[in-house]
Amino acid sequence: MTDHRRIIAELDPAPNNNDKRGFWEGHLPSGYKFVIADDHPLFRGAMKQALSGVGDVTTILEAGDFESTKALVAANEDIDLLLLDLSMPGTSGLSGLISLRGIHSAVPMVVVSAHDAPETIRRALELGASGFISKSASMDEIRNAVRTVLSGDITAPAGMDLGIERDPEISDLIKRLQSLTPQQARVLGMLAEGLLNKQIAYELTVSEATIKAHVSAVLQKLGVDSRTQAVILLSRIGGDPLAAVQ
């Protein structure tokens, strides 16, 4: 059975809106706002029902591509949790996480992916994810992971040894990426999208001189001399997650 079908097969009956047992008895409390970012509508629907908890009080927003995800994160400052697929139109791998962290660093972001090798999970957590949920996880495991993150902790698949980074170049790159400010991370993400300084300045409503300063700082922190080199370096951690761990 595929991961998507497994989740759909485990869906609970529609929740009873009169059930107010609350968060720690298997339901999410009212008032939370979630974003589910995944390009498979069926999977988004399954996740939405899994997270509904106490019914229609909780707000759950959906995005099917990276541009829509960025727009939702930028427009909703009160998001409590973002559930992010690693591979969808507009992004691939951990570069999307880096870019979104630049847009709204205070929002807990949980990666939800079928690419659940220990290296991918560890690198996601090191780059700012609040957790990782495998698409092969059961509904109870998904709910428990969400509860863990909402309580302020980090979640990862149980019983998995994440190990340590064995590639010194990747280890150095992660440390360099961790040193970026949120705005610098956002600028780096936009460089990876191929935007010019003028276009980035327009998107961020700042002067082109400010963007040039950000770009210079990014290049310095990454230890490269050009925008092209920065994008190539980012692709090492931001490309296909399966390729990244080989």
Side-chain angles (χ1 to χ4, degrees):
M1 181 179 292
T2 65
D3 296 338
H4 292 186
R5 289 180 180 176
R6 175 180 177 180
I7 290 176
I8 293 167
E10 294 180 2
L11 287 175
D12 289 342
N16 180 356
N17 290 341
N18 294 321
D19 188 345
K20 303 298 183 182
R21 289 176 295 170
F23 182 64
W24 294 113
E25 294 185 61
H27 293 271
L28 298 176
S30 62
Y32 280 118
K33 178 182 284 189
F34 303 100
V35 173
I36 301 172
D38 192 289
D39 62 332
H40 293 93
L42 201 60
F43 184 77
R44 293 200 308 271
M47 288 292 291
K48 185 176 181 179
Q49 187 169 344
L51 297 175
S52 293
V54 293
D56 57 6
V57 179
T58 299
T59 301
I60 300 179
L61 306 174
E62 300 179 48
D65 56 57
F66 192 62
E67 283 300 317
S68 299
T69 303
K70 289 194 300 179
L72 284 178
V73 172
N76 293 272
E77 296 184 355
D78 57 342
I79 295 172
D80 294 293
L81 180 65
L82 167 64
L83 297 158
L84 176 68
D85 186 15
L86 282 183
S87 299
M88 57 181 166
T91 188
S92 177
L94 295 169
S95 59
L97 172 65
I98 296 169
S99 181
L100 291 170
R101 292 279 299 159
I103 295 174
H104 204 332
S105 60
V107 173
M109 301 182 184
V110 174
V111 172
V112 183
S113 178
H115 303 305
D116 54 3
E119 293 87 348
T120 302
I121 299 172
R122 184 184 62 249
R123 292 170 184 177
L125 297 179
E126 289 177 343
L127 289 170
S130 295
F132 189 103
I133 299 174
S134 172
K135 284 192 174 181
S136 64
S138 69
M139 297 304 293
D140 283 341
E141 287 171 334
I142 293 172
R143 293 191 183 101
N144 288 337
V146 169
R147 286 197 291 266
T148 296
V149 173
L150 292 176
S151 69
D153 293 326
I154 303 296
T155 187
M160 181 176 290
D161 181 8
L162 300 184
I164 60 174
E165 185 59 63
R166 299 187 181 280
D167 185 332
E169 293 185 359
I170 292 294
S171 179
D172 179 68
L173 174 57
I174 289 175
K175 291 177 181 178
R176 290 177 181 274
L177 290 170
Q178 290 171 336
S179 73
L180 298 178
T181 66
Q183 192 76 324
Q184 289 167 357
R186 189 173 185 182
V187 168
L188 176 60
M190 299 175 89
L191 291 178
E193 294 173 20
L195 299 184
L196 302 175
N197 286 354
K198 181 183 297 185
Q199 294 170 307
I200 298 174
Y202 177 80
E203 290 288 335
L204 301 184
T205 63
V206 297
S207 69
E208 190 171 349
T210 297
I211 297 304
K212 288 181 179 179
H214 282 313
V215 171
S216 295
V218 168
L219 298 184
Q220 182 178 17
K221 288 184 176 182
L222 294 184
V224 296
D225 298 320
S226 70
R227 299 158 56 106
T228 300
Q229 290 175 341
V231 172
I232 292 174
L233 196 61
L234 179 63
S235 70
R236 290 211 60 198
I237 195 70
D240 181 79
L242 290 179
V245 300
Q246 292 176 352

